[in-house]
Amino acid sequence: MYLNNNDIHLTAVSQRDVYDFSFSDCKDLFELSAIVPRYAKLGETVVLRCNHTVVENQLYKVQWTKSGDKLFQYIRGRVPPYINHTIPGAKIDWGQTKPSELALMDVQHDASGQYACTVTLESPIYSKTSEYHDLTVIKIQNIDPTIEIFKEVFSVGDMLDATCTSGPSKPVPEITWLVNGRRPPDTYMKPIVKAALDSASAMRLTFPVSDKLGAEVQLTCLSTIPGFLNHKADYHDYADYRSSSIIGNYWVKI
């Protein structure tokens, strides 16, 4: 059969159009998101969930990666269906692991990193990767922060001077002062750098005493991971939360 140039041109365009349609159509074949806890306590078990809308008979593979390195794969029809690679700082809990859920037990600091999952269809062959999400393994504080204040009675115009030191943790906790329940301006708080703190943190508070404080001053030190969220947050909102308060010990001479 003889084909002229027009026939060849029309055939090439037709193939390209079919390819473009298939590729764009695959982009929205299913929804995908990775559910990764932001923080995990040292030694506990965490479950990473790969949420997708692929029906079972179309699912070919689910793969987990950490910072781009393969950790784990589920391949439908394979015997056994799971392939696990090296997982730094954790072990797989096979009792809780499922095709779209990866359970990591006895997590250590090396398990911290960015995690994502990739889902692959069987037909048409198409893969989609979720966004990466941070997981940080923390060693929580085992003691409340300590407050030290250098003067017990103040007059209006005096400078109140106090320091707060947290217990050790990893990562190092962040300290926030509250004066009568409110966070003072950042200019009144200054971190203290001490090599001897050993994974603890310290913060100095200095602010002028005014009659607006009232006759009694309440100082509260929060030592938290992450840092201070807002005044509406409570300890449930933090991965690690410790506080100490001194109430009614410092009287202002007005």
Side-chain angles (χ1 to χ4, degrees), residues 147-149 177 217-221 244-250:
I147 296 175
E148 183 180 6
I149 193 162
W177 281 100
V217 179
Q218 174 182 332
L219 299 181
T220 301
C221 172
S244 292
S245 295
I246 297 177
I247 304 173
N249 292 334
Y250 306 101

Side-chain angles (χ1 to χ4, degrees), residues 168-181:
S169 73
K170 187 176 180 180
V172 175
E174 296 189 33
I175 290 178
T176 300
W177 281 100
L178 302 180
V179 178
N180 288 345

Side-chain angles (χ1 to χ4, degrees), residues 109 138-143 164-175 192-202 223-225 240:
H109 294 300
I138 66 173
K139 178 183 178 182
I140 64 173
Q141 306 165 82
N142 56 10
I143 59 173
C164 175
T165 303
S166 74
S169 73
K170 187 176 180 180
V172 175
E174 296 189 33
I175 290 178
I192 299 173
V193 180
K194 292 182 180 180
L197 286 178
D198 187 24
S199 300
S201 58
S223 179
T224 62
I225 301 174
D240 190 19

Side-chain angles (χ1 to χ4, degrees), residues 114-198:
Q114 293 186 318
Y115 290 81
C117 66
T118 300
V119 169
T120 302
L121 298 179
E122 181 152 63
S123 179
I125 298 176
Y126 176 74
S127 294
K128 187 175 183 180
T129 301
S130 72
E131 294 183 353
Y132 277 88
H133 295 276
D134 289 317
L135 168 66
T136 301
V137 178
I138 66 173
K139 178 183 178 182
I140 64 173
Q141 306 165 82
N142 56 10
I143 59 173
D144 291 336
T146 57
I147 296 175
E148 183 180 6
I149 193 162
F150 304 103
K151 193 175 180 181
E152 295 188 355
V153 179
F154 302 93
S155 299
V156 171
D158 287 350
M159 292 296 294
L160 188 151
D161 191 350
T163 62
C164 175
T165 303
S166 74
S169 73
K170 187 176 180 180
V172 175
E174 296 189 33
I175 290 178
T176 300
W177 281 100
L178 302 180
V179 178
N180 288 345
R182 303 297 297 177
R183 188 176 187 272
D186 290 339
T187 54
Y188 295 160
M189 297 183 287
K190 183 178 180 180
I192 299 173
V193 180
K194 292 182 180 180
L197 286 178
D198 187 24

Side-chain angles (χ1 to χ4, degrees), residues 4-253:
N4 60 32
N5 289 337
N6 288 335
D7 292 330
I8 295 173
H9 176 71
L10 289 173
T11 302
V13 171
S14 177
Q15 289 175 344
R16 184 187 62 203
D17 289 345
V18 169
Y19 174 79
D20 287 345
F21 173 78
S22 299
F23 181 76
S24 61
D25 198 40
C26 282
K27 288 184 178 180
D28 300 316
L29 280 180
F30 60 90
E31 297 179 1
L32 173 65
S33 63
I35 308 299
V36 179
R38 180 63 185 87
Y39 295 96
K41 295 177 183 178
L42 193 69
E44 74 175 3
T45 296
V46 298
V47 178
L48 315 180
R49 293 180 171 86
C50 191
N51 283 358
H52 57 81
T53 57
V54 179
V55 296
E56 184 178 354
N57 63 357
Q58 292 181 342
L59 179 66
Y60 171 63
K61 182 171 67 175
V62 177
Q63 175 178 285
W64 280 97
T65 56
K66 176 191 173 189
S67 303
D69 296 328
K70 292 181 182 179
L71 295 180
F72 174 85
Q73 289 177 315
Y74 161 78
I75 302 177
R76 185 167 65 89
R78 185 184 182 276
V79 181
Y82 299 115
I83 302 174
N84 61 296
H85 303 264
T86 300
I87 302 180
K91 301 175 183 177
I92 294 179
D93 183 347
W94 293 107
Q96 296 190 62
T97 293
K98 303 174 183 178
S100 297
E101 295 185 6
L102 174 60
L104 303 179
M105 64 181 181
D106 192 24
V107 293
Q108 303 298 307
H109 294 300
D110 286 347
S112 299
Q114 293 186 318
Y115 290 81
C117 66
T118 300
V119 169
T120 302
L121 298 179
E122 181 152 63
S123 179
I125 298 176
Y126 176 74
S127 294
K128 187 175 183 180
T129 301
S130 72
E131 294 183 353
Y132 277 88
H133 295 276
D134 289 317
L135 168 66
T136 301
V137 178
I138 66 173
K139 178 183 178 182
I140 64 173
Q141 306 165 82
N142 56 10
I143 59 173
D144 291 336
T146 57
I147 296 175
E148 183 180 6
I149 193 162
F150 304 103
K151 193 175 180 181
E152 295 188 355
V153 179
F154 302 93
S155 299
V156 171
D158 287 350
M159 292 296 294
L160 188 151
D161 191 350
T163 62
C164 175
T165 303
S166 74
S169 73
K170 187 176 180 180
V172 175
E174 296 189 33
I175 290 178
T176 300
W177 281 100
L178 302 180
V179 178
N180 288 345
R182 303 297 297 177
R183 188 176 187 272
D186 290 339
T187 54
Y188 295 160
M189 297 183 287
K190 183 178 180 180
I192 299 173
V193 180
K194 292 182 180 180
L197 286 178
D198 187 24
S199 300
S201 58
M203 181 78 73
R204 184 177 183 181
L205 172 69
T206 55
F207 71 93
V209 175
S210 71
D211 54 4
K212 295 180 180 179
L213 293 173
E216 187 176 271
V217 179
Q218 174 182 332
L219 299 181
T220 301
C221 172
L222 306 180
S223 179
T224 62
I225 301 174
F228 184 69
L229 298 176
N230 55 59
H231 286 91
K232 295 181 180 180
D234 60 26
Y235 69 95
H236 295 292
D237 299 311
Y238 294 89
D240 190 19
Y241 179 100
R242 291 274 183 166
S243 69
S244 292
S245 295
I246 297 177
I247 304 173
N249 292 334
Y250 306 101
W251 299 86
V252 181
K253 294 179 179 179

